Amino acid sequence: MKVIIMAGGKGTRIASIINNVPKPMIKLCGKPILEHQINCLKRNGLTDITIVIGHLGHCIKEYFGNGERFGVCIHYYEEHEPLGTAGALYKIDGLINNNEDFLLLCGDIIFDLDFSRLINFHKAHNADATLVSHPNSHPYDSSVLVTQLLLPNTKGGMPTDTHRIIQWLNKEDERLWYKNRVNAGIQIISPSLLLDAKKYLHTEKIDLDRDILKPSIQNKKIYAYDTSEYIKDVGTPERYHSTEIDMKNGLINARNITLKQKAVFLDRDGTINKEVGFLTNINDLELVENAGEAIRTINNSSYLAIVVTNQPAIARGELDFLELQEINNKLETLLGKEGCYLNAIYYCPHHTDKGFKGERLEYKCNCNCRKPKAGLLLQAADDFNIDLSQSYMIGNSENDVKTGQNAGCKQSFLIGHNLSLLDIINNIVKRNLG
């Protein structure tokens, strides 16, 4: 698959780091950002690369040449006038005049991905475009993607995330509660999508997101590919410095999904948000003290932060799936404002007891996912390639402790007796750094 890297930006936000080279040439641990990208692409067998250059583009050409020294083949397209994030795609020879989808990425992001999974996802969905998405620590100033949720029929089952994008929220768009699913700046594009969009565009300067992708979500097959792998925009001094620390600590490579992951599993109610009994009213959701700092500590470590929670109010008829989704969205929004994120939320909607007014009998069953059974953790382990023996469980009940034990976690922790969530997580991270 051909790769296009957009490397023509001026990088005004990061000018305090260095301003005499283009942003993709800023060095992290002794190598330009662009070199880290090319090395990752090469490891994935993606060696046919075109770099779109503009501002100070000669620096890139002089350093990389034809790519032979780096084990890849590099071509260049030079913008003499800024063409936006997509204008050059219409001018690169042969790019849109064939039927071959291509990988497009921004030149100012650091990542380590298993691209074969992304490509297989794209092909399996027969997508016009597939956008890599992930949670990040600043969703409030990022583009957020909303995907289609298929609700179960009366025979039970769980809602299915189709991953098809149905709404695109730019940072200036009005939004209240939202899932922390951010557009990461890596995508696979079908040339047919560009050709169809061109019929309605009357300028050479084109923004990929606002002019092509966002207007196409209603009538095209555009999907979000969620990943927990490391992707970070290093466009500001703060993010640059934090990324360099992550690189020095080996965190970037360790997050590649081909390697076994570690997780801190967290109960929800009474652990991250305040206990109010069955949480059925979104207005009752409040974070516990220092929850944001605790989860931010996980995010900055080698662990994933994954919620596993029993939600029997579904079976009792006191809450429906859309209401639960909105409550979880509020949780993710509040944590995002605290500069942290969850990698996933898993829940069990079942309950064995009967006799409640309005109960949903299809969810009255002895399932494998209701804690203290290990089903939720086993599902997460399968989805994220997690080594449960190197992972932890934290909750506010003995059931949570038993859940971790039943799943084979390294250790389970019980909040209480002057032991807070933050205390436990600091203990886990410090122990495993030492």
Side-chain angles (χ1 to χ4, degrees), residues 6-68:
M6 306 301 293
K10 291 186 176 181
T12 53
R13 294 182 302 167
I14 201 171
S16 62
I17 300 294
I18 191 169
N19 60 11
N20 61 350
V21 298
K23 185 164 50 171
M25 290 301 293
I26 294 175
K27 290 186 176 181
L28 277 165
C29 296
K31 293 181 181 179
I33 295 169
L34 198 51
E35 185 172 351
H36 289 293
Q37 292 186 341
I38 289 172
N39 287 339
C40 181
L41 292 168
K42 180 188 173 185
R43 290 195 298 271
N44 281 269
L46 298 166
T47 59
D48 183 359
I49 301 170
T50 297
I51 304 177
V52 178
I53 57 175
H55 178 67
L56 298 175
H58 64 277
C59 298
I60 296 174
K61 293 182 73 172
E62 290 168 3
Y63 187 90
F64 290 101
N66 64 5
E68 183 178 3

Side-chain angles (χ1 to χ4, degrees), residues 166-185:
I166 57 173
Q167 192 175 8
W168 182 305
L169 300 173
N170 291 114
K171 58 185 179 181
E172 71 273 11
D173 291 336
E174 184 177 351
R175 53 172 104 162
L176 183 56
W177 312 126
Y178 50 87
K179 181 178 176 66
N180 189 337
R181 177 188 267 130
V182 171
N183 181 22

Side-chain angles (χ1 to χ4, degrees), residues 305-326:
I306 297 177
V307 166
V308 287
T309 174
N310 288 342
Q311 292 299 319
I314 294 285
R316 290 164 61 103
E318 298 168 356
L319 190 69
D320 64 35
F321 286 109
L322 288 179
E323 290 169 329
L324 176 58
Q325 182 67 47
E326 193 70 356

